[in-house]
C-alpha cells in the first residue's frame, strides 16, 4: 500500500538530509496562521496541507504574496476551495511558507523503477516540466562526478553556466542530488521524491526547494 506524505512532512524529511527547503509552518486556525506568518515575515505563501491534494494550484489552494491583512481571509478561502475541489480530503491544516526569492527553476526527484530500482532525475523544472522534457536520469547511487555528468546532459546546464549572462550555483544543485540519492538509498520504503521547483540561485548563493512530494510504501 502506498501513500503520500503531506508537504510539511516531506520537506522536514528532505531538510533532515540537508536538502535546502523553504521555511514552513502549519496553522490549524486563522489566529495560528497570523502568528506563523508574522514569524516568517511578510509577504508569505499559504497553501493547503493535505496528502490527498497533490495538485494544489489546480485546486485553488495556493496563494502567493499574502500580506498581514490578507492572512485570515486567505485561510478561509483556501479551506473553502478544498471543500469544492475534494470534499472528503483529509486536511492537516494550512501551510504558511516563507516567500522564497525567485531563482532558476529546477526539478530534482527520484522514482523507483520496477525493474531497475531507484532512479535519480534532474532537469528544467516549473509548471512546464512535462512540456520541455529536459530531463536526465541515473540509477542510484551516484557520486559527485556522475551527478555533474547528468546535469551536463540537459539543456538546463547551458543556462546554469551563464548562457544569458548569469551563472548559477552548480555545486548547490549537485549537493541536492547527492542528498536525495542518500535519502532514497537509506529509506527503501520511499517510492518517489519530487522537488519542483528547486530554485537555483546565482553562483555561490545556493538553492531552495519550495514544493515537495514524497510517496512511500507502507507495510500491511
Amino acid at each position: 500500500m502506498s501513500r503520500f506524505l503531506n508537504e510539511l512532512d516531506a520537506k522536514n524529511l528532505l531538510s533532515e538530509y540537508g536538502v535546502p527547503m523553504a521555511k514552513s509552518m502549519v496553522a490549524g486556525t486563522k489566529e495560528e496562521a497570523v502568528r506563523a506568518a508574522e514569524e516568517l515575515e511578510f509577504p508569505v505563501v499559504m497553501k493547503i496541507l493535505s496528502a490527498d491534494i497533490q495538485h494544489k494550484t489546480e485546486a485553488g489552494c495556493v496563494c502567493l504574496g499574502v500580506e498581514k491583512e490578507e492572512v485570515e481571509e486567505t485561510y478561509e478561502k483556501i479551506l473553502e476551495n478544498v471543500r469544492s475541489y475534494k470534499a472528503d480530503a483529509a486536511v492537516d491544516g494550512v501551510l504558511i511558507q516563507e516567500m522564497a526569492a525567485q531563482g532558476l527553476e529546477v526539478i530534482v526527484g527520484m522514482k523507483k523503477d520496477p525493474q531497475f530500482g531507484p532512479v535519480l532525475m534532474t532537469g528544467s523544472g516549473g509548471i512546464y516540466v512535462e512540456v520541455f522534457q529536459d530531463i536526465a536520469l541515473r540509477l542510484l547511487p551516484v557520486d559527485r562526478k556522475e551527478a555533474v555528468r547528468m546535469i551536463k546532459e540537459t539543456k538546463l546546464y547551458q543556462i546554469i553556466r551563464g548562457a544569458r549572462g548569469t551563472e548559477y550555483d552548480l555545486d548547490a544543485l549537485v549537493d541536492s542530488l547527492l542528498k536525495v540519492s542518500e535519502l532514497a538509498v537509506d529509506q527503501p520504503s520511499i517510492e518517489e521524491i519530487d522537488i519542483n521547483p528547486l530554485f537555483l540561485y546565482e553562483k555561490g548563493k545556493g538553492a531552495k526547494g519550495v514544493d515537495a512530494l514524497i510517496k512511500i510504501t507502507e507495510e500491511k
Side-chain angles (χ1 to χ4, degrees), residues 91-130:
V91 174
D92 298 323
V94 172
L95 195 70
I96 316 298
Q97 178 180 300
E98 68 169 313
M99 190 82 178
Q102 186 75 26
L104 179 64
E105 292 187 334
V106 178
I107 186 169
V108 171
M110 183 283 299
K111 192 166 185 177
K112 271 190 178 175
D113 182 271
Q115 184 175 355
F116 298 107
V119 179
L120 190 65
M121 170 188 68
T122 193
S124 300
I127 60 174
Y128 298 115
V129 62
E130 292 89 355

Side-chain angles (χ1 to χ4, degrees), residues 6-9 26 47-51 90-95:
N6 73 35
E7 185 180 340
L8 186 60
D9 289 341
V26 62
K47 45 188 168 179
I48 197 63
L49 186 62
S50 171
V91 174
D92 298 323
V94 172
L95 195 70

